Amino acid sequence: MLEQLLIFTRGGLILWTCKEIGNALKGSPIDTLIRSCLLEERSGAVSFNYDAPGAAYTLKWTFHNDLGLVFVAVYQRILHLLYVDDLLSMVKQSFSEIYDPKRMSYDDFDETFRQLRIEAEARAEELRKTKQVGKPVSSVKKQGQVSKAGLEGGNKRVSEGGSKKDDGDGNKAKVSTLTNGHSNGNHQMEDDSQETDLANGKENTSCNVAVDLSKLQKLRSKGVRGRGGVRKTDSIGNKSSKVAAAEPAKKATKKNRVWDDAAPKQSKLDFTDSVDDNGNNDHVDIVAADQGESMMDKEEVFSSDSESEDDDEPGSDEKPAEAKKKGWFSSVFQSITGKANLEKTDLGPALKALKERLMTKNVAEEIAEKLCESVEASLEGKKLSSFTRISSTVQAAMEDALVRILTPRRSIDILRDVHAAKEQRKPYVVVFVGVNGVGKSTNLAKVAYWLQQHKVSVMMAACDTFRSGAVEQLRTHARRLQIPIFEKGYEKDPAVVAKEAIQEATRNGSDVVLVDTAGRMQDNEPLMRALSKLINLNQPDLVLFVGEALVGNDAVDQLSKFNQKLSDLSTSGNPRLIDGILLTKFDTIDDKVGAALSMVYISGSPVMFVGCGQSYTDLKKLNVKAIVKTLLK
């Protein structure tokens, strides 16, 4: 049975709830649906599952976009109620007839809902009985087919154009029917243009598939007839002997002569500076003072002037023949008066063109599909205003959706959080995670340089004890920026190294600890387990996922599996997941900015930093308006 049915406006005003049901919901499924689905542009989904202690709910919903109403039904997931969709549709139609924006109470809708519910349950029961009656007929038909196939034994016939399936014995499933009504032990292959009989009219089964080598040698010695006539070939034995005889005949390659007088001098290949016994290098340049202001503190100028509507409109060139058929007067009249209500058939061409455009900008196909479904759900049934085209309406709705997705829903002011942690006399800990080769260590140094510009004391923790050269790389950045570094070498437990680094920072009074970790693929179980241990043991203030702006569909797989592994391998009841995203190599992608949208959509975490160059100052904030304009350009 239903647990709850709720009607509220898009502004959050509850208009009516079913008092007859009156079941107290465990947890907050409605709030979770609004936060995780409706506000995240996932409203195109069929349903939403909510797990609470002692209960598992399924939520279904529908919109009345013209009136701005939301209808939500909640029921136990184990029940699989078949009438919920039908009931929501009837409630939507009935409630929209009595809805008044100035009215706040709808107590008289209780009796209407009771009748609609009884009607929906009766329809579902009738449909269930109809399926049960029709089920034995189909089962009898299947039994007849099975018995018919059993009479044929191991002999089968395969139609040339049909699908071929292998069963457990290696035989092919039957596609065509018997020509004589009974099995004669022969195997036929039927085609529309020609029929070819097998040599003896019998098919080899799995028991006689073995090849007779003596017969094969005789056939090879006589020759094989093909389209080009008879082709003579050597036997297997002769061929192998010829190959063996040809091998020793290979001539050795002559080496170039090197004259003593003209011997080239060996150039210096190692350009690294020498270090002393303690690993110190006095020749490293100190560049922290002359790099200039970080791009994080510069306001990026963005022109809000959009391009011409004719160039930007998706689907403007779709089906010109159909547009001509409608006629000039009808199109002008429709643009003046406005269309009654938008339907799926009206939105289809524009959404299809918009989806293709997003995919060309490197947005993952799965994300583009969900976004278009969400926009379709938000526009279906909405009245089109006068002098407005469908394509421009769809693009405006998509633009609003993209802005909502990319705009952070929580504070991402790291400097404020650093000062708050400083007042509590503890360091602010940031852990950088990600796959191999995305630039974690380099962008960690950029973040450290930016924090230095704001008079924040920073310590680096070299917790990449897996990759050779990782500690030396971070040590070079630390010496160039004059930042202390905590390191324990290689083959150490990174979780313990990070813990000791945090303790050292607490003793020294460092404000921020930047923890560098080893790059790992999302499917590497041992390294993912080590990362989960590091996060659970040290409980950092911020977990940053460092990802490339070059990736497309793989961004969905990386972030979803990172979060899934951190959740599965966590030992606490409230696992720590990815808090933010650092997008690297943003200067190499031109207008292919879709990775930012894919990562934010799949994780729900904001893009906090964008790496756009090789120097320490090349770190900036994400410009949401510029990204949205580029995606829809």
Side-chain angles (χ1 to χ4, degrees):
M1 59 178 294
L2 278 177
E3 295 291 323
Q4 187 58 269
L5 196 140
L6 191 69
I7 303 175
F8 56 93
T9 64
R10 287 187 179 271
L13 177 63
I14 299 177
L15 299 176
W16 180 85
T17 57
C18 182
K19 302 180 182 62
E20 181 182 351
I21 300 174
N23 295 330
L25 298 177
K26 298 180 180 179
S28 54
I30 304 294
D31 294 340
T32 306
L33 171 69
I34 295 173
R35 289 195 309 268
S36 303
C37 202
L38 303 186
L39 294 180
E40 298 262 347
E41 297 302 325
R42 292 180 172 87
S43 55
V46 178
S47 61
F48 176 74
N49 292 329
Y50 176 81
D51 294 318
Y57 298 119
T58 295
L59 290 83
K60 290 191 174 184
W61 62 92
T62 186
F63 300 110
H64 196 298
N65 293 308
D66 196 23
L67 300 179
L69 302 178
V70 184
F71 304 81
V72 180
V74 186
Y75 61 93
Q76 292 284 349
R77 191 184 309 169
I78 196 174
L79 297 180
H80 299 288
L81 300 181
L82 301 177
Y83 63 87
V84 174
D85 293 329
D86 194 16
L87 178 61
L88 283 174
S89 179
M90 292 190 295
V91 169
K92 170 184 172 182
Q93 182 179 359
S94 300
F95 191 83
S96 60
E97 295 175 357
I98 64 172
Y99 173 70
D100 184 1
K102 299 179 181 179
R103 185 178 175 185
M104 297 298 172
S105 177
Y106 293 89
D107 295 334
D108 55 340
F109 190 69
D110 294 345
E111 183 61 29
T112 305
F113 172 74
R114 188 180 300 109
Q115 296 176 0
L116 294 176
R117 182 182 175 188
I118 294 174
E119 183 180 351
E121 290 178 349
R123 287 183 184 179
E125 184 67 19
E126 183 179 353
L127 181 62
R128 186 178 63 83
K129 291 180 179 179
T130 304
K131 288 184 177 181
Q132 288 181 351
V133 172
K135 192 173 182 180
V137 178
S138 59
S139 62
V140 169
K141 184 177 180 181
K142 290 181 180 179
Q143 291 176 0
Q145 291 177 353
V146 172
S147 61
K148 189 174 181 180
L151 291 174
E152 292 177 2
N155 300 311
K156 306 286 180 184
R157 275 188 242 186
V158 180
S159 177
E160 191 72 10
S163 60
K164 300 179 181 181
K165 299 179 181 179
D166 294 342
D167 57 11
D169 299 327
N171 298 322
K172 298 184 189 290
K174 177 182 176 183
V175 177
S176 63
T177 58
L178 293 175
T179 55
N180 298 326
H182 62 278
S183 175
N184 55 4
N186 295 332
H187 176 77
Q188 284 186 319
M189 299 184 67
E190 298 177 1
D191 191 86
D192 295 338
S193 60
Q194 62 180 1
E195 293 185 0
T196 305
D197 295 331
L198 295 178
N200 297 324
K202 296 183 179 180
E203 179 186 6
N204 290 331
T205 56
S206 58
C207 59
N208 56 359
V209 176
V211 180
D212 193 342
L213 292 179
S214 61
K215 292 183 179 180
L216 183 59
Q217 289 180 359
K218 290 179 181 180
L219 289 173
R220 286 178 180 252
S221 61
K222 291 179 180 179
V224 180
R225 181 174 296 275
R227 291 184 179 179
V230 178
R231 178 175 57 85
K232 292 185 179 181
T233 57
D234 296 328
S235 62
I236 297 176
N238 294 334
K239 189 175 181 179
S240 59
S241 62
K242 286 184 178 181
V243 173
E247 286 180 354
K250 289 183 179 179
K251 194 173 183 179
T253 305
K254 183 179 179 180
K255 297 181 180 179
N256 295 330
R257 178 173 296 181
V258 179
W259 302 95
D260 297 335
D261 296 339
K265 296 181 180 180
Q266 294 292 334
S267 60
K268 181 182 178 182
L269 298 179
D270 187 4
F271 292 96
T272 57
D273 297 320
S274 58
V275 296
D276 54 17
D277 297 336
N278 297 326
N280 297 324
N281 185 357
D282 297 331
H283 301 286
V284 178
D285 297 333
I286 299 174
V287 296
D290 57 1
Q291 282 287 308
E293 185 182 6
S294 175
M295 295 177 67
M296 283 288 294
D297 302 319
K298 296 179 181 179
E299 291 293 334
E300 186 175 357
V301 179
F302 173 70
S303 176
S304 60
D305 297 335
S306 59
E307 296 184 0
S308 62
E309 189 176 357
D310 294 335
D311 296 336
D312 285 348
E313 284 201 57
S316 58
D317 298 332
E318 292 285 333
K319 300 182 179 179
E322 292 183 7
K324 291 181 180 179
K325 290 180 181 179
K326 291 182 180 179
W328 176 83
F329 180 77
S330 62
S331 61
V332 171
F333 182 76
Q334 182 175 326
S335 65
I336 295 175
T337 59
K339 189 175 177 63
N341 292 103
L342 291 174
E343 300 176 357
K344 287 186 177 181
T345 54
D346 303 324
L347 300 171
L351 287 173
K352 182 181 179 182
L354 202 55
K355 176 187 173 183
E356 293 175 354
R357 180 179 298 182
L358 291 175
M359 290 174 61
T360 58
K361 298 301 174 66
N362 219 15
V363 178
E365 182 181 4
E366 177 186 353
I367 306 301
E369 181 71 28
K370 290 182 179 179
L371 280 172
C372 291
E373 290 177 357
S374 178
V375 171
E376 182 184 46
S378 64
L379 291 179
E380 186 181 359
K382 191 173 183 179
K383 186 175 182 180
L384 187 66
S385 57
S386 302
F387 297 101
T388 306
R389 285 184 284 185
I390 295 177
S391 55
S392 58
T393 303
V394 170
Q395 179 156 340
M398 178 63 75
E399 183 176 351
D400 294 340
L402 295 179
V403 170
R404 282 195 299 270
I405 292 172
L406 293 174
T407 303
R409 283 171 294 280
R410 60 179 178 81
S411 174
I412 57 173
D413 190 353
I414 294 181
L415 294 176
R416 188 189 66 179
D417 297 338
V418 168
H419 290 301
K422 187 176 180 179
E423 292 177 356
Q424 299 178 4
R425 298 183 181 275
K426 67 176 184 177
Y428 187 82
V429 183
V430 183
V431 176
F432 293 76
V433 302
V435 299
N436 308 79
V438 295
K440 289 184 295 299
S441 302
T442 302
N443 285 275
L444 182 147
K446 293 180 184 180
V447 174
Y449 178 78
W450 171 66
L451 291 172
Q452 274 189 321
Q453 298 295 304
H454 292 272
K455 311 301 180 183
V456 176
S457 60
V458 184
M459 172 186 282
M460 294 182 179
C463 295
D464 185 357
T465 62
F466 183 78
R467 175 174 65 90
S468 300
V471 177
E472 288 79 7
Q473 178 185 4
L474 204 64
R475 185 191 299 157
T476 302
H477 286 304
R479 288 187 58 81
R480 288 176 65 87
L481 297 175
Q482 290 185 311
I483 291 176
I485 180 174
F486 186 88
E487 56 176 281
K488 286 292 184 180
Y490 297 98
E491 297 184 0
K492 302 294 191 301
D493 188 352
V496 177
V497 176
K499 184 176 182 180
E500 294 177 358
I502 296 172
Q503 294 173 353
E504 181 70 17
T506 304
R507 288 192 295 266
N508 297 338
S510 297
D511 299 331
V512 178
V513 179
L514 303 180
V515 181
D516 185 29
T517 62
R520 66 205 76 212
M521 297 306 293
Q522 58 269 24
D523 298 321
N524 193 323
E525 184 74 19
L527 288 180
M528 290 303 300
R529 191 174 296 276
L531 178 63
S532 178
K533 179 183 177 183
L534 185 150
I535 294 176
N536 291 328
L537 181 63
N538 297 284
Q539 290 298 313
D541 299 282
L542 183 65
V543 180
L544 277 180
F545 179 85
V546 184
E548 284 183 329
L550 304 170
V551 297
N553 290 326
D554 198 38
V556 178
D557 187 58
Q558 289 176 9
L559 267 168
S560 59
K561 286 189 176 180
F562 257 82
N563 269 333
Q564 187 64 39
K565 290 291 184 181
L566 292 177
S567 177
D568 295 343
L569 300 175
S570 176
T571 56
S572 63
N574 188 16
R576 283 295 305 276
L577 303 179
I578 293 171
D579 301 317
I581 299 169
L582 195 158
L583 209 56
T584 67
K585 308 177 185 178
F586 206 73
D587 54 324
T588 64
I589 57 173
D590 194 22
D591 63 342
K592 304 294 189 293
V593 297
L597 177 64
S598 299
M599 290 183 178
V600 173
Y601 188 90
I602 200 66
S603 66
S605 303
V607 176
M608 306 184 71
F609 301 99
V610 175
C612 53
Q614 298 295 322
S615 63
Y616 292 130
T617 59
D618 294 330
L619 190 74
K620 63 181 183 179
K621 300 176 182 178
L622 183 71
N623 192 325
V624 175
K625 292 183 179 179
I627 296 296
V628 172
K629 181 182 177 181
T630 305
L631 286 171
L632 298 178
K633 186 177 178 180

